[in-house]
Amino acid sequence: MSKPTYETLSGAQIVVRLLERQGVRTLAGIPGGAILPIYDALSQSALIHHVLARHEQGGGFIAQGIARATGVPAVCMASSGPGATNLLTAIADAKLDSIPLVAITGQVPRAMIGTDAFQEVDTYGLSIPITKHNFLLNSAEDLLEVIPRAFRIAASGRPGPVLIDIPKDVQNQVVEVGEWPAVGVAEVVPAPAAERVALAAAMINEASRPILYLGGGVVHSAASAAAVALAEKAALPTVMTLMALGAMPVEHSLSLGMLGMHGARFTNLALDECDLLIAVGARFDDRATGKVAGFCPQAKIVHIDIDPSELDKIKTAHVGIAGDVGAVLQTLLPAVEAQQRLAWLSRVASLKAAHPLRLPGIDDPRTPYGLIRAVADCLDDQATITTDVGQHQMWVAQAYPLRRPRQWLTSGGLGTMGFGMPAAIGAALAEPERTVVCFTGDGSILMNVQELVTAAEEGVNVKIVLMNNSSLGLVFQQQTMFYGERIYASKFKGMPDFVRVAEGFGVPAIDLDTESDPHAALAAALSSRGPMLIHASIAMHEQVLPMVPPGAANKDMIGG
Amino acid sequence: MNTISRTENQALARTVLELDVYNHPGVMSHVVGLFSRRAYNVEGILVMPVGGGVTSRIWLLVNEDERLDQMVKQVEKLEDVLAVRRHGAEHEVFVRLEEFFR
Ligand SMILES: Cc1ncc(C[n+]2csc(CCOP(=O)(O)OP(=O)(O)O)c2C)c(N)n1
Ligand SMILES: [Mg+2]
């Protein structure tokens, strides 16, 4: 046996080496006193490209963009105190959407913890409820175990964010390192219980009006192809949650599109009639189900999820299967009978004909749907689409022809304004060959507008389509519909000149409002390389329809 | 809503949960945080290290309500929790402790 050669390394150097070994090539963050040893070590890395964000939340969302585009854990960094607190929103967002993220924060030296030292905050305590797991390091040696473990936890089972808080003295502590640990990779998930899969297959075979309900877990598990194969073999009309869009291509004959609060009428009406709901990697979120008692009231439920705590959480399943959804679908496929289900499919088709998704203005690029369609017409399926949060997000979810898993990156669970642009930067850094389009609003863009300079600095191929309705549109819509048209704090009085704002940050910009041929202007803008902002005005009164009022059953939609 | 009288409280069915956990400073926060964020009161808590001190055992006395199954699943998901066992309220660990609370 050859003797290991010992290296004398600081905790900070160990962190950087472990990240390199883990395969991290791009990470985002902002330095500060308590994390300077790690930044000093990072400066010596020939492998890692550090992206300097301009706000830690932006850094967190850049890392999320990388993770969402690739499915591989991505890293963000912040200093102690305000650096760590600024990161929290991006971490919480990753928790609710099950995104693998590793956040590394600097902490004051151990001897000063608990003394209200400068920039001391209880990062460990603050991050407990918004992480999958977290660590407060006590020695440099522990890094050798904790860092690979953090990556393993982030990627295993249901993915999620992990935070590692490293006191400054631990970063500076020098230790001898002989052997390096294995890199942290996702654990193998136990195979699903065969008799449950058989039960589920029998229920699918016996059902007369089944619907397949796909959630974000299908994307996380790379199970889109398996889901489509199951739908095709058993003739299952298929709905998708916001997080699953792209798992089945929009124009697939079995696709009923997105369900829930802003789903099409026929989609929610079909669900109302189904006698079996097959939920795959979906968690019965209230935006998808509406009033739970009124959701698929006649249906038996098969629920497949990698997280056992999701089974029976909202709806009690007749058959619950804990397991990797891809693996479960693979075992389910040979057990289901090939069917045509002509009666049910024709019922669904007639619902669709009577209550289709209405996209008024689709041919006019000066309307919300028309603008989205005009952008889509300039791009192919290789483009990645991110959004911010608001009406524009829902319009894009309804109207953009998504056909590829991981094509669609949006903040679903937390619904965080400010997500879109930094996430687009991350996606573009991870996959530089793609065009990344961020649809944003005049409210959302301002929540992380500082990252425009990061986009310019990195030269990322990000096109920001700013749908400007001079309002917090979704709030305006809710006040119009449910608060007696008492519009309050949702109409902007002051409006920045967004073209000049972008240009001031070093990002070229065009204003579609002043273009005589908006199609040609869009085509030119979207085919150029590098960051660009495309400003387009939208009428303030435009609404996202249909809409299920909060708390109502999905069949009681308004409009559309 | 959260104010139940002492007699009402005692009338509720109780469950004793026994958790094997890694023994480190954050583990109690992780466990009780799951209860507090759901406004699910923990009536009794006992913790002691087991064996060499690498692991601890946490005993929790909780009221039974319809959220208990979900609570147990959430506790099982914690990285530092190795096992969760459920016992009836008659389990002697808290009964024997009662004399210290008179
Ligand atoms: C950080 C954050 N704060 C507040 C909200 C509540 N909210 C949801 S949508 C919305 C309006 C968004 O405005 P804009 O980005 O202009 O999009 P629009 O609805 O006008 O398309 C607000 C304030 C939120 N989702 N996130
Ligand atoms: Mg707006």
Side-chain angles (χ1 to χ4, degrees):
Chain A
M1 228 178 80
S2 69
K3 248 178 49 195
T5 44
Y6 283 90
E7 287 176 273
T8 308
L9 296 170
S10 70
Q13 290 171 316
I14 293 173
V15 170
V16 172
R17 193 75 75 81
L18 288 170
L19 293 179
E20 290 175 347
R21 291 171 55 86
Q22 196 65 46
V24 175
R25 293 296 173 264
T26 307
L27 56 78
I30 301 191
I35 199 168
L36 277 180
I38 290 179
Y39 270 78
D40 194 37
L42 210 46
S43 74
Q44 302 305 304
S45 172
L47 294 175
I48 297 179
H49 171 54
H50 174 269
V51 177
L52 180 60
R54 299 310 201 265
H55 184 295
E56 288 83 357
Q57 187 187 115
F61 283 137
I62 289 171
Q64 270 218 42
I66 299 173
R68 288 183 189 243
T70 61
V72 177
V75 178
C76 53
M77 286 188 176
S79 195
S80 67
T85 55
N86 272 350
L87 203 54
L88 294 178
T89 300
I91 296 173
D93 189 280
K95 178 77 180 342
L96 280 174
D97 284 346
S98 306
I99 304 303
L101 192 73
V102 174
I104 297 177
T105 50
Q107 182 54 279
V108 302
R110 277 175 303 164
M112 294 170 78
I113 288 180
T115 66
D116 297 328
F118 178 63
Q119 296 193 329
E120 182 193 357
V121 65
D122 177 10
T123 306
Y124 182 87
L126 285 170
S127 57
I128 286 175
I130 55 167
T131 51
K132 190 171 170 190
H133 194 55
N134 61 357
F135 299 93
L136 172 55
L137 265 292
N138 201 28
S139 77
E141 218 177 332
D142 288 351
L143 287 164
L144 293 165
E145 190 239 317
V146 164
I147 290 193
R149 193 165 152 220
F151 279 87
R152 173 168 66 67
I153 294 168
S156 293
R158 179 181 188 167
V162 178
L163 181 134
I164 309 171
D165 199 28
I166 313 178
K168 192 172 184 179
D169 60 313
V170 171
Q171 298 172 41
N172 284 326
Q173 191 186 357
V174 172
V175 290
E176 304 272 296
V177 181
E179 256 172 278
W180 290 94
V183 299
V185 295
E187 279 168 352
V188 177
V189 183
E195 73 285 354
R196 310 214 130 236
V197 177
L199 270 175
M203 284 173 74
I204 295 170
N205 293 340
E206 280 155 30
S208 41
R209 299 184 307 280
I211 287 185
L212 184 61
Y213 157 39
L214 305 180
V218 173
V219 176
H220 295 313
S221 166
S224 307
V228 172
L230 177 72
E232 287 172 349
K233 183 169 182 194
L236 305 171
T238 302
V239 301
M240 285 167 274
T241 66
L242 181 72
M243 297 310 295
L245 294 178
M248 177 183 267
V250 263
E251 54 276 281
H252 195 287
S253 61
L254 289 165
S255 171
L256 310 186
M258 181 172 71
L259 81 161
M261 185 173 270
H262 295 295
R265 268 183 182 267
F266 76 94
T267 311
N268 287 334
L269 292 174
L271 283 160
D272 202 53
E273 293 184 12
C274 75
D275 68 349
L276 177 68
L277 185 70
I278 307 138
V280 184
R283 61 183 176 85
F284 294 84
D285 173 76
D286 53 277
R287 298 288 134 142
T289 63
K291 189 168 97 189
V292 176
F295 182 61
C296 304
Q298 317 171 33
K300 290 192 173 170
I301 291 173
V302 171
H303 193 177
I304 305 166
D305 204 284
I306 200 161
D307 179 354
S309 75
E310 285 302 337
L311 306 177
D312 304 336
K313 183 181 84 175
I314 305 288
K315 274 263 195 193
T316 305
H318 299 80
V319 177
I321 305 176
D324 173 66
V325 298
V328 177
L329 291 172
Q330 299 288 357
T331 39
L332 199 52
L333 189 64
V336 300
E337 290 159 9
Q339 301 218 22
Q340 295 196 299
R341 279 189 223 284
L342 294 177
W344 176 226
L345 293 189
S346 89
R347 172 66 189 152
V348 170
S350 69
L351 281 172
K352 185 170 181 177
H355 310 281
L357 179 64
R358 291 185 207 283
L359 302 173
I362 190 80
D363 296 319
D364 176 1
R366 312 234 182 248
T367 72
Y369 293 127
L371 175 62
I372 292 159
R373 183 55 54 90
V375 170
D377 285 345
C378 297
L379 299 164
D380 61 19
D381 296 344
Q382 294 312 307
T384 298
I385 309 301
T386 81
T387 74
D388 259 303
V389 171
Q391 288 182 312
H392 62 275
Q393 176 189 31
M394 292 300 128
W395 284 320
V396 180
Q398 291 175 324
Y400 197 95
L402 297 163
R403 303 190 178 96
R404 171 173 72 79
R406 300 197 184 281
Q407 184 181 11
W408 166 247
L409 316 182
T410 198
S411 168
L414 198 65
T416 314
M417 294 168 67
F419 168 90
M421 196 244 294
I425 295 173
L429 287 164
E431 300 185 316
E433 68 289 355
R434 296 189 194 277
T435 301
V436 182
V437 178
C438 165
F439 286 93
T440 184
D442 49 321
S444 294
I445 182 101
L446 291 177
M447 292 228 179
N448 272 318
V449 74
Q450 74 288 342
E451 302 310 331
L452 279 172
V453 67
T454 314
E457 201 168 272
E458 296 291 326
V460 284
N461 198 21
V462 167
K463 314 297 177 199
I464 301 155
V465 179
L466 171 48
M467 300 173 71
N468 186 350
N469 52 9
S470 307
S471 63
L472 298 167
L474 204 55
V475 176
F476 185 95
Q477 173 171 346
Q478 296 219 29
Q479 290 174 338
T480 305
M481 294 172 84
F482 309 122
Y483 291 87
E485 298 188 41
R486 289 181 298 282
I487 305 302
Y488 184 73
S490 58
K491 238 157 84 172
F492 291 126
K493 298 189 195 88
M495 182 56 64
D497 180 337
F498 283 110
V499 169
R500 284 174 60 198
V501 167
E503 286 170 352
F505 277 111
V507 171
I510 62 165
D511 190 353
L512 274 198
D513 299 354
T514 60
E515 297 288 341
S516 55
D517 184 347
H519 283 114
L522 269 178
L526 292 169
S527 61
S528 69
R529 276 298 292 183
M532 164 91 80
L533 183 134
I534 300 161
H535 176 269
S537 293
I538 294 294
M540 195 184 291
H541 61 77
E542 293 278 7
Q543 295 190 331
V544 188
L545 296 171
M547 176 167 193
V548 178
N554 278 355
K555 68 171 190 330
D556 299 322
M557 292 153 280
I558 300 173
Chain B
M1 210 200 103
N2 280 331
T3 53
I4 23 180
S5 72
R6 207 182 153 81
T7 37
E8 270 175 327
N9 201 12
Q10 280 166 350
L12 290 172
R14 294 274 175 84
T15 293
V16 171
L17 300 177
E18 180 187 3
L19 282 57
D20 295 332
V21 302
Y22 286 118
N23 177 17
H24 74 83
V27 66
M28 280 295 284
S29 273
H30 278 265
V31 171
V32 298
L34 290 180
F35 287 85
S36 60
R37 68 178 287 197
R38 292 172 173 82
Y40 196 132
N41 198 38
V42 177
E43 300 291 323
I45 306 182
L46 269 177
V47 202
M48 289 278 273
V50 181
V54 175
T55 63
S56 296
R57 184 157 303 143
I58 302 180
W59 293 92
L60 300 176
L61 179 66
V62 298
N63 289 329
E64 256 178 42
D65 78 23
E66 72 286 352
R67 299 171 297 171
L68 188 59
D69 287 342
Q70 176 64 208
M71 279 310 322
V72 170
K73 286 183 184 174
Q74 292 292 340
V75 174
E76 283 172 337
K77 260 176 35 169
L78 291 175
E79 272 292 311
D80 287 331
V81 172
L82 303 165
V84 182
R85 289 175 290 275
R86 287 167 82 150
H87 306 279
E90 70 289 349
H91 194 281
E92 62 178 352
V93 62
F94 286 102
V95 176
R96 279 165 59 184
L97 206 66
E98 267 172 16
E99 67 182 85
F100 293 96
F101 290 82
R102 291 208 180 106

